[in-house]
Amino acid sequence: MKRRRRKESISKSAFRVKYLRRSRKLWNRYLNSRPWVNQLYESFLDIRPGQKIVDVGCGPGDFTRYLARLSDGNSKILGVDSNPKSIKAGIADTKRAHLSHVVAYKLGDAYKIPIDDDYADLTCCRTLLMHLDEPLKAVREMARITKPGGHVVAVEQGKMGIYYDPNDKRFSRLSDQVWEAQLRGIRKLEGKEFRIGEKLPGIFLEAGLVDMKAEIQSNVCLASDPRQPLNDVKEELRFYLAFFKERMEKDRKYVVAGGLSNAKVSEYNKGYVSKIEGLLADGQKLRRDPTISTDALYIVSGMKPRQS
């Protein structure tokens, strides 16, 4: 079956190299204030010296280089992506990080990975399957290139998301309604499951993997948290506000397709922009803001059965 071609997609902006580089920089800064996250990945992935590791849908290679650091430079890491610009950026960023002796990149599609059968000890993807309309097909390909007894791991967002402003409960409810409608709209218009985390064990099972295990990486944003410098909080808000303004009218169709009225969408867009701009204009107000937002990344692993 041929993949559907679309001129405009919810995933298109997220795959831009400039966006990926900037968002990953902010993400890594956030992780530096949560050292236990590294401990989670080190324990869960159990990367050992001499392994061959493949990162599918690697983009500019942020997670690829993270895997290399977890291995202490003792494994061979290969990043695969279908975007030539991402591959070019990944090679340049990896050279700057002095990891070119460990990390290499290859142009290729997640549905037809250009790697031999039974190659990798560990095959990973991070926030890739949410952007695919055939995630099972991609997981089967990941399993194909993995050795018997090796592992396939996916890191994807799940439904454990919260936005709550105790000073504006109406807007908090509206935010939940908009997000749920957008998820339904994306599913309806593009066939993608943007919160695929909970479905991963079932997908892995259908792909023939066994011995599934899972963990959750929970992420909490609270502007009053002293572990994050105020300037870092502001920089992050400015980045995501700019992205929101760029996308809000393009994304309206998904929310409306998911059952929310245009009037509700407009109310939310106006309210979000007003709130964030107001916080950015007053550092003291921002530092006292009690709004909390959370999301969760599901880390799911399955083993390719050993040959009998």
Side-chain angles (χ1 to χ4, degrees):
M1 184 174 69
K2 291 185 178 180
R3 294 169 59 192
R4 289 172 294 204
R5 296 182 180 275
R6 304 182 185 93
K7 293 182 179 180
E8 179 61 32
S9 166
I10 187 69
S11 304
K12 188 174 181 180
S13 296
F15 283 153
R16 289 179 309 176
V17 171
K18 183 178 180 181
Y19 171 81
L20 285 171
R21 275 178 161 170
R22 190 72 188 115
S23 64
R24 294 300 185 251
K25 179 181 178 182
L26 294 170
W27 174 246
N28 289 328
R29 181 188 292 168
Y30 171 83
L31 292 184
N32 287 337
S33 67
R34 275 86 172 163
W36 55 86
V37 175
N38 285 340
Q39 297 171 12
L40 168 63
Y41 279 94
E42 286 171 357
S43 173
F44 190 86
L45 296 177
D46 190 27
I47 296 174
R48 296 181 301 279
Q51 285 184 323
K52 293 179 180 178
I53 302 172
V54 177
D55 178 22
V56 181
C58 65
D62 179 76
F63 190 62
T64 322
R65 291 184 292 276
Y66 181 71
L67 293 169
R69 295 186 185 99
L70 288 181
S71 75
D72 291 325
N74 292 316
S75 293
K76 184 177 180 181
I77 322 288
L78 178 62
V80 177
D81 199 272
S82 61
N83 185 349
K85 292 181 180 179
S86 290
I87 294 295
K88 183 178 179 180
I91 292 171
D93 291 350
T94 299
K95 184 177 181 180
R96 280 192 287 270
H98 305 291
L99 289 171
S100 298
H101 63 293
V102 182
V103 177
Y105 295 92
K106 194 168 189 176
L107 189 67
D109 192 278
Y111 294 137
K112 195 174 182 179
I113 304 171
I115 296 175
D116 292 338
D117 295 357
D118 305 339
Y119 167 84
D121 298 283
L122 174 64
T123 304
C124 301
C125 69
R126 185 185 186 279
T127 57
L128 166 71
L129 302 179
M130 62 183 286
H131 293 289
L132 302 181
D133 49 19
E134 295 182 84
L136 174 60
K137 183 176 180 180
V139 174
R140 282 177 171 154
E141 265 295 276
M142 293 171 69
R144 178 187 64 78
I145 69 169
T146 304
K147 296 176 181 178
H151 290 85
V152 174
V153 175
V155 183
E156 298 283 345
Q157 289 186 326
K159 294 180 181 178
M160 295 176 62
I162 295 170
Y163 174 92
Y164 184 70
D165 180 356
N167 295 324
D168 195 340
K169 296 177 182 178
R170 173 183 168 81
F171 185 76
S172 297
R173 288 192 297 271
L174 178 60
S175 178
D176 288 341
Q177 292 168 2
V178 168
W179 183 237
E180 287 298 325
Q182 186 169 16
L183 291 177
R184 291 192 298 269
I186 294 169
R187 194 179 304 120
K188 179 179 179 180
L189 297 180
E190 298 195 2
K192 299 174 183 177
E193 183 58 73
F194 254 46
R195 287 296 183 260
I196 199 172
E198 292 87 353
K199 295 186 176 182
L200 291 177
I203 293 172
F204 277 30
L205 184 64
E206 194 171 352
L209 299 171
V210 298
D211 294 348
M212 265 79 71
K213 59 182 181 179
E215 292 288 347
I216 291 178
Q217 176 193 335
S218 58
N219 310 303
V220 181
C221 294
L222 186 64
S224 63
D225 191 331
R227 291 173 295 182
Q228 288 185 278
L230 180 60
N231 285 339
D232 288 357
V233 176
K234 286 185 175 181
E235 183 180 359
E236 185 171 350
L237 286 178
R238 289 191 190 100
F239 172 75
Y240 287 113
L241 176 61
F243 186 71
F244 179 83
K245 286 181 175 179
E246 176 189 330
R247 287 292 317 176
M248 64 182 185
E249 289 307 321
K250 296 177 183 178
D251 289 344
R252 178 185 290 269
K253 65 179 180 181
Y254 299 106
V255 185
V256 173
L260 216 59
S261 68
N262 267 300
K264 286 286 187 181
V265 178
S266 295
E267 179 185 352
Y268 172 77
N269 289 348
K270 182 179 179 180
Y272 178 83
V273 171
S274 176
K275 176 182 173 63
I276 302 304
E277 287 182 343
L279 291 173
L280 286 171
D282 188 339
Q284 289 186 344
K285 181 180 179 182
L286 174 60
R287 223 23 164 178
R288 294 192 303 268
D289 183 53
T291 302
I292 188 167
S293 61
T294 70
D295 62 36
L297 288 170
Y298 283 69
I299 313 170
V300 177
S301 172
M303 188 182 76
K304 183 172 179 175
R306 292 183 174 89
Q307 295 172 339
S308 57

